């Protein structure tokens, strides 16, 4: 474990743009960003063919622990994050058991995380039927916001909100300045589409039409307009929804949106029949849709790019498109996947970093990270932008070797990741729990902490769940 007081590079991505610079570090924080030549003699030198970036912030990760640790867990998810240049992840409230819908469940998750973290972890809370009274206590305990579904989530313990329940949750959340994020697909539109069936990817895409996203976002924004609640649309996949979001922003509504690397780098035309490693909900759509999503990202309609890492066991990905789990496991690959496509389009790495570090940090209120500026966390990614590699799913750090990128050549290699001024080596467990600054901080998660097995419920297998139409979150 190497700790530094300075790191310098000929190419550093700062809020003001790319420059040669030295970043000075004191007590895990950036003390200053100075001229390259002003670095102290013991500064870590970044090779000239590599770039110093802020550590990325991934605000959409399903860790699944406790309860479904055969799918993923804190140790493997954070190891994958570190290998991908990500220094903070935010865990979604569902697919774990218990889901994070009250303070007791949050405490269980934090206890399970102890001693396992390679990078920092924050948590989303959940908004489900009947837990309005739990929302403020969860906010005060340090969750960054509240996730809800507008259709069945695929796991019984995390039920969707109907329009009245959605409005009630938003009316409560706005009283303490909180944030609601939503999986926005409309159940009625999907019920009117052909059911998912068989091995043809085109049939699966037809089962979740773009109009399901459009209608759900319209429903969501009606409540945003009524309540004033800050609202965020997760994993936007349908470009048909962009005019709705664009108009809401023009009207001054407090709405943001994210999309994911797989929607920006893959297309329905690339998915072979039977290729359930590509299944996610909403689905990867065609190349024309992908082009329109890029336009929405470049014009600011879409604010951020995050993984929606939603892994499962190999067995859960087997079967046809009706049966297989819907989720893309890509936590480690987001930066090279995005850089591969962005560089081809002439888009600078500074834009990519803004979408994948600064924007998710701002969304989640983690204001002490996401950029290389004095006073912020000394979290770094050292990135070789011209390196190339062929993805081998067997070498990825997440728990189960399944990847939609397997066999693809990606541009850009993460060479090093640093957390609070410390170089993360394989096997290091130096991550801490992260909370927004206004929250009451939890007890520190120290590398020597021991996980209390008494809080870990029995693992639940996929066979215990209803498999048909399971969406990722």
């Amino acid at each position: 474990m190497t700790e530094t007081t300075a790191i310098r590079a000929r190419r550093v991505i700062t809020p003001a743009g790319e420059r040669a610079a030295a970043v000075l570090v004191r007590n895990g924080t950036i003390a200053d960003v100075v001229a390259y030549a002003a670095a102290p003699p013991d500064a870590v030198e970044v090779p000239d063919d590599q770039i110093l970036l802020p550590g990325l912030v991934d605000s959409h990760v399903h860790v699944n622990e406790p309860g479904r640790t055969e799918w993923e867990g804190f140790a493997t998810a954070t190891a994958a994050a570190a290998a991908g240049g990500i220094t903070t992840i935010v865990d979604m409230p569902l697919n774990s058991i218990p889901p994070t819908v009250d303070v007791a469940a949050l405490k269980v998750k934090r206890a399970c995380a102890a001693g396992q973290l390679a990078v920092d972890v924050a948590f989303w809370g959940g908004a489900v039927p009947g837990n309005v009274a739990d929302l403020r206590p969860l906010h005060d305990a340090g969750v960054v916001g509240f996730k809800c579904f507008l259709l069945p989530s695929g796991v019984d313990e995390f039920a969707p909100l109907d329009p009245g329940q959605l409005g009630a949750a938003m009316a409560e959340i706005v009283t303490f300045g909180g944030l609601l994020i939503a999986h926005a697909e409309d159940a009625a539109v999907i019920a009117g589409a052909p059911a998912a069936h068989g091995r043809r990817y085109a049939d699966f895409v037809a089962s979740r039409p773009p109009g399901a996203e459009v209608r759900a976002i319209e429903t969501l924004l009606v409540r945003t307009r009524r309540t004033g609640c800050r609202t965020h649309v997760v994993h936007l996949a349908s470009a048909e929804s962009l005019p709705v979001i664009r108009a809401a922003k023009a009207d001054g509504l407090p709405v943001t949106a994210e999309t994911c690397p797989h929607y920006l780098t893959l297309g329905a035309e690339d998915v072979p029949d039977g290729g359930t490693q590509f299944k996610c909900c909403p689905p990867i759509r065609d190349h024309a849709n992908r082009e329109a999503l890029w336009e929405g990202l470049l014009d600011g309609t879409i604010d951020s790019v995050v993984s929606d890492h939603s892994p499962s066991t190999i067995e859960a990905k087997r079967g046809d498109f009706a049966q297989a789990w819907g989720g893309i496991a890509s936590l480690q690959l987001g930066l090279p996947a995005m850089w591969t496509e962005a560089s081809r389009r002439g888009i600078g790495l500074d834009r990519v970093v803004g979408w994948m570090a600064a924007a998710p940090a701002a969304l989640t209120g983690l204001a002490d990270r996401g950029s290389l500026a004095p006073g912020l966390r000394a979290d770094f990614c050292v990135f070789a932008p011209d390196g190339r590699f062929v993805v081998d799913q067997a070498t990825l750090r997440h728990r189960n070797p399944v990847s939609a990128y397997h066999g693809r050549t990606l541009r850009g290699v993460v060479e090093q990741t640093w957390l609070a001024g410390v170089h993360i080596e394989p096997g290091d467990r130096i991550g801490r729990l992260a909370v927004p600054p206004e929250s009451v901080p939890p007890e520190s998660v120290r590398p020597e902490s021991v996980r209390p097995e008494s809080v870990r419920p029995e693992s639940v297998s996929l066979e215990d769940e209803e498999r048909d139409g399971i969406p990722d979150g």
Side-chain angles (χ1 to χ4, degrees), residues 110-295:
R110 285 174 168 165
C112 287
Q116 296 204 74
L117 306 182
V119 302
D120 286 358
V121 175
F123 295 95
W124 293 102
V128 297
N131 85 324
V132 168
D134 293 299
L135 300 179
R136 183 182 288 270
L138 276 166
H139 170 79
D140 293 344
V143 302
V144 301
F146 301 92
K147 170 72 174 290
C148 74
F149 273 72
L150 304 185
L151 81 172
S153 71
V155 291
D156 291 341
E157 66 275 3
F158 200 92
L161 299 179
D162 65 29
Q165 294 163 339
L166 175 65
M170 295 174 82
E172 173 64 12
I173 292 168
V174 76
T175 64
F176 50 81
L179 170 68
L180 181 102
I181 68 173
H183 180 128
E185 289 182 285
D186 185 84
V189 173
I190 290 175
H197 65 281
R199 291 173 49 82
R200 291 187 68 242
Y201 184 69
D203 292 335
F204 171 65
V205 174
S207 75
R208 303 190 87 98
E213 291 186 70
V214 175
R215 183 178 292 180
I217 291 170
E218 289 173 339
T219 298
L220 183 65
L221 293 179
V222 167
R223 273 74 189 175
T224 304
R225 193 177 297 274
R226 288 177 182 171
T227 64
C229 181
R230 289 192 298 132
T231 305
H232 180 74
V233 178
V234 300
H235 52 47
L236 184 72
S238 169
E240 291 184 17
S241 302
L242 291 171
V244 179
I245 297 170
R246 192 174 290 123
K249 288 189 169 191
D251 285 347
L253 294 187
V255 60
T256 52
E258 70 186 39
T259 192
C260 306
H262 43 276
Y263 299 131
L264 295 167
T265 63
L266 305 174
E269 298 89 339
D270 307 321
V271 180
D273 289 344
T276 55
Q277 69 271 28
F278 294 88
K279 180 183 175 181
C280 58
C281 300
I284 297 166
R285 304 191 189 277
D286 61 24
H287 289 166
N289 182 84
R290 181 182 67 192
E291 296 306 304
L293 288 177
W294 273 101
E295 291 175 9

Side-chain angles (χ1 to χ4, degrees), residues 429-446:
R429 296 288 178 257
I430 59 174
R432 301 291 177 108
L433 299 181
V435 297
E438 71 272 14
S439 302
V440 177
E443 293 182 0
S444 295
V445 177
R446 301 185 180 280

